[in-house]
Amino acid sequence: MTVEKGLVRVREFQADRVLMNEPLTAKVLVLPVGVEVNIYGGCLPHIGAVSIADPEGNLTTTQFPTHKDGVVSARWAKAIAGKGFLPVTVAAGIHYDDLTREEIASVVKVTDEMLEEILEKIQGAARAFAAP
């Protein structure tokens, strides 16, 4: 979806998956200056961590106690910033009860696949912003 107000264009899209019978969603806003991402899912979607890549590319992650979502939020913020899209904010909150190591690896693998899809969409949105 594209929203246009005057000269401001915002691109909005998402990537969805189902893992262990629960949805995973990444919602993205690509602004003329910056990218905002919210990743959530599992049996208890929430906000567990937030990562920010500032305009210079410096990465900061704040993770709430007992949460592990900073692994995903930092990975996404670093990847998006690494493609030159700055600043970036990524909030993540994915929860499944009693995960095994293999199931945790599955969550990381699926969110990495989603990240690749999102990076392609962000690059397309950036090209659209650059078009006359």
Side-chain angles (χ1 to χ4, degrees):
M1 172 192 346
T2 302
V3 179
E4 295 197 33
K5 293 184 178 180
L7 298 177
V8 177
R9 295 173 287 182
V10 175
R11 301 282 195 263
E12 182 177 351
F13 46 84
Q14 68 185 51
D16 296 290
R17 299 289 191 281
V18 175
L19 181 63
M20 293 177 271
N21 298 314
E22 298 288 351
L24 287 177
T25 300
K27 289 192 173 193
V28 180
L29 288 176
V30 179
L31 309 166
V33 179
V35 177
E36 178 183 326
V37 180
N38 289 289
I39 307 163
Y40 54 88
C43 61
L44 184 63
H46 64 287
I47 298 172
V50 177
S51 295
I52 298 169
D54 70 19
E56 287 77 41
N58 301 307
L59 183 66
T60 304
T61 297
T62 299
Q63 182 170 266
F64 296 121
T66 74
H67 289 77
K68 305 280 190 268
D69 307 288
V71 170
V72 173
S73 66
R75 195 176 192 112
W76 279 58
K78 184 177 179 180
I80 294 167
K83 297 288 185 179
F85 304 107
L86 293 164
V88 180
T89 62
V90 180
I94 301 168
H95 178 83
Y96 291 93
D97 291 330
D98 305 316
L99 289 180
T100 65
R101 284 185 181 269
E102 293 79 20
E103 290 169 328
I104 292 169
S106 292
V107 171
V108 172
K109 180 178 184 270
V110 169
T111 57
D112 281 351
E113 291 169 2
M114 294 168 74
L115 174 57
E116 289 306 313
E117 177 184 335
I118 290 300
L119 285 171
E120 289 178 24
K121 290 181 178 182
I122 291 171
Q123 289 170 331
R127 284 190 296 272
F129 285 145

